[in-house]
Amino acid sequence: AQSVTQLDSHVSVSEGTPVLLRCNYSSSYSPSLFWYVQHPNKGLQLLLKYTSAATLVKGINGFEAEFKKSETSFHLTKPSAHMSDAAEYFCVVLRRTGFQKLVFGTGTRLLVSP
Amino acid sequence: IAGITQAPTSQILAAGRRMTLRCTQDMRHNAMYWYRQDLGLGLRLIHYSNTAGTTGKGEVPDGYSVSRANTDDFPLTLASAVPSQTSVYFCASSPLSTGGTDTQYFGPGTRLTVL
């Protein structure tokens, strides 16, 4: 079965410093992976997705993620955090057994201090 | 283009009452989904529909029912609400292109409290 594990429930950074949100996946075949962001009291917005093309995926707002098969990881990074990046981030894998369904990680809350 | 709308935005409900959460999309997407979001658990799929007239059960379907009479609407009904159904509910849709890896688009959510 496909699943994802987000290794940190909370990450705190200072504005202008790099962001690293960690995600490991488990899949018996080449996975499709996503990162979604949820700002307070808002719905979820797609940041980026990996679909077996380039292993380095660029998303919106300066975020990117690298698919590493050898490490079964799909970590989300950004070179310089902005206050507006404070939000909840979800790593997601597409489960293809039967009807396609998204399987969500438990989320990582990013806190950005001035 | 509104995308996905959900109603109500929030609701406080007495246990045992019936409640329908509404979801409408204007993107002509084939597939629609209902999730609940609970602290520390991420989002869990309740029910889904891959096309009008068909529905399926997700991870946590008990206590919920759905219908898909047309492409645009996908209401979620709690026949007799219980406090454990207190949650934030998100509706989503995707084009469901065959063989593709569809992006799901989410509504703003409904915050439901069952007392």
Side-chain angles (χ1 to χ4, degrees), chain A residues 55-77:
Chain A
T55 56
L56 182 63
V57 182
K58 294 187 182 298
I60 62 172
N61 300 333
F63 284 93
E64 61 182 36
E66 186 171 8
F67 175 75
K68 292 186 176 180
K69 185 176 180 179
S70 61
E71 300 176 10
T72 62
S73 69
F74 189 58
H75 301 335
L76 182 70
T77 61

Side-chain angles (χ1 to χ4, degrees), chain A residues 96-108:
Chain A
R96 293 202 184 94
T97 52
F99 183 66
Q100 293 188 359
K101 303 172 189 176
L102 295 183
V103 178
F104 284 77
T106 53
T108 298

Side-chain angles (χ1 to χ4, degrees), chain A residues 4-54:
Chain A
V4 289
T5 301
Q6 292 185 245
L7 301 172
D8 306 292
S9 59
H10 292 82
V11 170
S12 295
V13 300
S14 298
E15 190 173 23
T17 64
V19 175
L20 170 64
L21 305 183
R22 299 183 295 165
C23 174
N24 286 349
Y25 70 88
S26 173
S27 179
S28 54
Y29 47 74
S30 181
S32 295
L33 295 160
F34 307 76
W35 276 99
Y36 278 84
V37 61
Q38 183 182 27
H39 288 92
N41 300 314
K42 300 288 186 182
L44 281 80
Q45 180 183 21
L46 179 69
L47 273 180
L48 50 82
K49 65 180 180 181
Y50 167 75
T51 58
S52 73

Side-chain angles (χ1 to χ4, degrees), chain B residues 10-24:
Chain B
S10 65
Q11 182 74 45
I12 299 174
L13 188 67
R17 296 298 295 270
R18 180 185 180 89
M19 176 73 190
T20 296
L21 308 185
R22 299 185 298 279
C23 174
T24 300

Side-chain angles (χ1 to χ4, degrees), chain A residues 32 36 38 49 51 90 99, chain B residues 37 40 48 50 90 101 103-104:
Chain A
S32 295
Y36 278 84
Q38 183 182 27
K49 65 180 180 181
T51 58
F90 293 95
F99 183 66
Chain B
Q37 183 179 26
Y48 64 89
N50 62 349
F90 288 98
T101 50
T103 298
Q104 290 188 16

